[in-house]
Amino acid sequence: MNMMENLKTKNIITAIVLSIVLSSCKAPLATVIKDEVKENIPQNFNQEEQADANTNTGMTPWRQFFTDPNLVVLIETALKNNQELLITLQQIEIAKSGVLAKKGRLTPTVSAGVGAGVKKSGRYTSEGAGDATTEIEPGREMPDPLGNFEGGLTANWEIDIWKKLRTEKESAIAHYLSTVEGKNFVLSNLIEEVADNYYELLALDNQLDIIQQYIKLQQKALEISKIQKEAAAATELAVKKFEAELSKSKATEYTIRQDITEKENQINALLGRYPQPIVRTKENFMSTIPQTVYTGIPSQLLGNRPDIKQAELELKSSKLDVEAARKEFYPTLDISATLGLEAFKPSYLVKMPESIAYNLGGELAGPLINKSAIKANFQAADARQIQALYEYDKTILNAYLDVANLMSKIKNIDQYYQLKSQETKSLEESIDIANQLFRNSRADYLEVLLNQRDALDAKMELVEAKQKQLSTVVDIYKSLGGGWK
């Protein structure tokens, strides 16, 4: 009869374990969405031109792309001192620690400890009665109260039977790699910012030279108008107009000087240092020829642009998080073990093997009832991986549009620059003609002023066009994935 009862008990236990395992293994599936943006990326940036995969400016190292030695020094300083970059490097260290933490969960946790205590059981209890009738040695009763001294090692280990822990580690690795790509993207943006601000500073330098030349021109015109007034060839109105124009030009000069100071400090901020002069050479700015840019093919953006690679790795990490969250529905197997020495008296701890104590146990447990927390965690992970996919697609689309827009801008700004050059040349010639006519009293002061203003505006706009030419090339270099290599 006892045999039948034991067999029945074993069958009940087996059935309970099987029910736990089977109920735990019913896990929902992750949402699968087709990545149409990546699959349908165009073959070319411009349908009118055929791209060449072998020529891609984005693959050029930044030290070869930038030839101005002063700019190279500024970029090198920024790469060492920029605070945003230093913050990003710490994010990488944080992610690296996350990988080590997930990796540590794959191995047993072992701890060492010692302990001491005392216990007195009631005489009329099973434990107290047993101790009272027990002799440790012949003729030596069990001590009362009973001390306990112990020391040893304890190990706990979750067996990764479903590879859940390995999946979590792979997710942490993907996130770590995404932070590395994030750092590369910060590098690329930083180099672009330094270069763009450097060219804007050179443009301001040239505009300051132009306004100073214009001031000298206005001073001469004012002197001529005063002479003509004395000779009754001009009126007081002409003198006042030239004086007003001169004051306006001097005010513009101080505005440009302030812009130069702010731009220098903006560059210094990128370089992570206090305000100081920016070393530069402004003389060759207008004669600088922008580099020719080769875009390669759009699919190369997937491997060249750090922000796309970062989004791709975050997508991979989020998918692994969904897989790990799904495996939370499965039962876990935990093993615990203890090995050490234990005795009621410290002097007995050295008696072997009597003082040796150990314990070994295993537990298979899984969620059976009330899985709402696990389901919520899975649903959140599933939503995050869908969100990561949309972020990835958005990054690809924006990258393609960046390059397409900038390539169009390069063509248009080149044409704009050529026309502005012609306009500036014609107005420069007209100034000399107007001044000569004014000296000979064959043109009034309004014609001189209008010509001078038009020439000034054209020169200023020509400098801005040159700056946009150079900055656009830098921007497309970054958009193609250049700057971080």
Side-chain angles (χ1 to χ4, degrees):
M1 190 70 180
N2 289 335
M3 228 171 133
M4 294 293 294
E5 288 179 355
N6 290 337
L7 183 60
K8 185 177 180 181
T9 302
K10 288 181 179 179
N11 290 336
I12 292 174
I13 293 173
T14 303
I16 292 174
V17 172
L18 286 175
S19 66
I20 292 174
V21 172
L22 291 175
S23 64
S24 300
C25 290
K26 293 180 180 178
L29 297 176
T31 306
V32 179
I33 300 178
K34 188 177 181 181
D35 191 357
E36 296 183 356
V37 173
K38 181 179 178 181
E39 292 178 359
N40 298 327
I41 190 168
Q43 297 298 317
N44 300 292
F45 290 106
N46 188 337
Q47 301 301 327
E48 299 175 359
E49 298 179 4
Q50 191 68 27
D52 184 2
N54 297 321
T55 53
N56 190 324
T57 302
M59 296 181 180
T60 305
W62 70 266
R63 292 179 185 276
Q64 297 178 17
F65 183 80
F66 296 104
T67 56
D68 187 330
N70 294 321
L71 176 56
V72 170
V73 171
L74 292 175
I75 293 174
E76 288 176 341
T77 305
L79 296 181
K80 293 178 184 177
N81 302 331
N82 181 262
Q83 280 79 19
E84 184 178 353
L85 179 58
L86 295 176
I87 291 171
T88 305
L89 293 177
Q90 295 310 306
Q91 292 175 346
I92 294 176
E93 293 302 317
I94 294 171
K96 187 187 295 184
S97 299
V99 174
L100 294 176
K102 297 296 183 182
K103 184 179 180 181
R105 292 188 60 191
L106 289 168
T107 57
T109 301
V110 181
S111 58
V114 295
V118 63
K119 180 180 180 182
K120 176 174 174 50
S121 300
R123 176 65 180 81
Y124 300 109
T125 63
S126 59
E127 185 177 357
D131 290 345
T133 57
T134 302
E135 293 183 343
I136 298 174
E137 295 177 353
R140 188 171 183 183
E141 296 180 352
M142 184 76 73
D144 188 24
L146 183 65
N148 185 60
F149 300 89
E150 61 183 354
L153 301 175
T154 302
N156 294 287
W157 189 15
E158 180 182 347
I159 306 299
D160 196 19
I161 54 178
W162 310 110
K163 295 186 178 180
K164 181 190 74 173
L165 300 179
R166 289 182 177 84
T167 302
E168 291 178 350
K169 187 189 79 169
E170 291 174 4
S171 173
I173 291 173
H175 176 65
Y176 161 72
L177 294 175
S178 76
T179 61
V180 174
E181 294 300 336
K183 180 263 297 181
N184 292 336
F185 188 57
V186 171
L187 282 175
S188 184
N189 282 336
L190 178 59
I191 291 173
E192 178 196 32
E193 282 190 76
V194 172
D196 283 347
N197 281 282
Y198 179 75
Y199 290 136
E200 289 175 15
L201 181 58
L202 292 180
L204 289 170
D205 287 338
N206 280 265
Q207 287 180 335
L208 181 61
D209 288 343
I210 291 172
I211 199 67
Q212 288 174 341
Q213 293 171 6
Y214 185 68
I215 288 172
K216 292 179 181 178
L217 187 65
Q218 289 300 312
Q219 287 173 338
K220 291 181 180 179
L222 177 59
E223 292 172 1
I224 294 173
S225 65
K226 288 180 178 180
I227 294 172
Q228 288 187 335
K229 178 194 170 187
E230 292 176 359
T235 64
E236 180 68 16
L237 180 61
V239 175
K240 294 301 180 183
K241 285 289 186 180
F242 280 116
E243 286 179 348
E245 188 70 17
L246 180 59
S247 297
K248 179 182 177 182
S249 301
K250 288 182 177 179
T252 303
E253 177 185 3
Y254 287 107
T255 300
I256 295 175
R257 287 185 183 278
Q258 178 61 27
D259 291 340
I260 289 174
T261 299
E262 293 180 3
K263 187 59 63 176
E264 282 188 315
N265 289 338
Q266 191 172 350
I267 294 175
N268 282 317
L270 292 172
L271 272 55
R273 66 189 189 187
Y274 287 106
Q276 57 184 275
I278 301 298
V279 179
R280 58 196 186 270
T281 304
K282 62 182 179 180
E283 286 74 21
N284 299 326
F285 176 72
M286 294 304 295
S287 60
T288 303
I289 300 175
Q291 296 191 35
T292 303
V293 176
Y294 302 97
T295 61
I297 57 177
S299 60
Q300 289 177 318
L301 293 174
L302 303 179
N304 289 348
R305 278 189 58 137
D307 57 335
I308 293 180
K309 294 198 292 185
Q310 181 184 19
E312 183 180 15
L313 287 165
E314 285 296 341
L315 175 59
K316 179 181 177 180
S317 176
S318 64
K319 287 182 177 179
L320 290 169
D321 286 340
V322 175
E323 186 178 342
R326 185 172 183 269
K327 290 175 181 178
E328 290 288 348
F329 290 91
Y330 302 159
T332 58
L333 175 60
D334 293 317
I335 294 177
S336 60
T338 304
L339 175 63
L341 303 174
E342 186 176 18
F344 65 83
K345 192 175 182 181
S347 59
Y348 283 7
L349 289 173
V350 295
K351 289 189 175 184
M352 304 288 185
E354 290 85 354
S355 63
I356 294 176
Y358 61 85
N359 177 49
L360 179 64
E363 181 183 33
L364 181 66
L368 186 60
I369 301 174
N370 192 9
K371 302 179 183 178
S372 58
I374 299 175
K375 289 180 180 178
N377 183 49
F378 172 80
Q379 290 170 355
D382 190 40
R384 282 193 293 269
Q385 67 106 5
I386 297 174
Q387 184 184 46
L389 175 61
Y390 293 147
E391 287 287 346
Y392 178 55
D393 288 345
K394 183 180 75 172
T395 306
I396 294 175
L397 183 60
N398 288 341
Y400 179 88
L401 294 175
D402 282 347
V403 176
N405 289 338
L406 288 170
M407 287 303 296
S408 174
K409 186 177 180 179
I410 283 180
K411 294 180 179 178
N412 291 326
I413 199 68
D414 285 346
Q415 294 297 321
Y416 176 83
Y417 182 80
Q418 296 299 326
L419 293 172
K420 277 295 173 183
S421 296
Q422 295 175 13
E423 179 187 2
T424 302
K425 183 179 179 181
S426 298
L427 289 172
E428 194 70 32
E429 294 173 353
S430 69
I431 286 179
D432 294 334
I433 297 173
N435 286 338
Q436 186 65 36
L437 292 173
F438 183 65
R439 291 190 190 97
N440 297 326
S441 301
R442 297 177 61 188
D444 61 22
Y445 65 92
L446 286 177
E447 292 178 289
V448 175
L449 279 176
L450 291 175
N451 272 281
Q452 290 177 347
R453 285 178 183 175
D454 291 343
L456 174 65
D457 292 340
K459 286 181 179 180
M460 292 292 199
E461 290 170 357
L462 183 64
V463 172
E464 290 178 0
K466 174 56 68 175
Q467 178 263 315
K468 289 179 181 178
Q469 265 191 330
L470 298 174
S471 293
T472 302
V473 171
V474 174
D475 293 343
I476 196 170
Y477 172 63
K478 190 267 290 188
S479 296
L480 290 170
W484 58 273
K485 297 179 182 178

